[in-house]
Amino acid sequence: MASRNVEDEGDLNISPKDPLILTKRNSKYFHFLSLPPLIEKTLPSPLSTKIRTSLYKASVWILTFICYTAFHLSRKSLSVVKSTLRNNCNQSELNTTEVDTNSTCNKGWDPFNSPQGVTLLGVLDYSFLLTYAVAMFFSGAISDRSNLRCFLALGTLASGCFMILLGLAYFFQIHSIVYFLLVQIGNGIFQSMGHTGVFSANNHWFGKSKRGLILGL
């Protein structure tokens, strides 16, 4: 009998009770493939192997799609508020003490409303992108050796926390460029976990012939 290729298991109609899956569940690197107990209980046992395997694949794709969407929503939040942080008032509007309800003057947020504001915003963008690129190398290696549920959950929650820290600067009147720089660096580190984690999860469930289509979707 021809031996089965572990990497191409996504092309096979195999049962969650199949020895191949059981072996991978007991493996140090693949134990994350077992479904959570709550989901296991909701699937009727008489379901055919093909239907159960299809349900597993669909759930993995949907959940990873939602996860990666959440990463993207928080990836470039600074770019959305750049115009608000900058000073777009002319000198006369800055010197006046009268309140003009029709004025579009926005004095911005210190230190980004200074003459060096554009440079500082560029530094924040650069720090995020550089950290993201460097952390991708380490995240890829870690994702292959960790529980992907915990890996993606940590990356998603931590990235959201750094976005909250960025917003808290308004409520606590934080104007330190070091604070914003640290937030961007931290966000870049945890953002890198999304790309590698999602790809690793899908690669384990879909065969080589379908990986391009699935990841493209």
Side-chain angles (χ1 to χ4, degrees), residues 96-110:
T96 184
T97 57
E98 298 179 0
V99 178
D100 185 0
T101 56
N102 297 323
S103 175
T104 59
C105 173
N106 173 34
K107 296 183 179 180
W109 188 263
D110 184 50

Side-chain angles (χ1 to χ4, degrees), residues 63-73 75 132 156 191 194-196 198-199:
L63 291 174
T64 53
F65 182 87
I66 294 174
C67 179
Y68 202 52
T69 300
F71 274 105
H72 266 286
L73 290 175
R75 180 165 297 175
Y132 179 80
T156 306
Q191 280 283 331
H195 180 89
T196 54
V198 167
F199 276 34

Side-chain angles (χ1 to χ4, degrees), residues 17 40 42 59 79 83 85 121 124 137 147 158-160 182-183 196:
K17 303 300 183 181
E40 282 278 10
T42 59
S59 63
S79 300
S83 59
L85 299 176
L121 290 172
L124 293 185
F137 291 99
N147 185 318
S159 180
L182 292 176
V183 169
T196 54

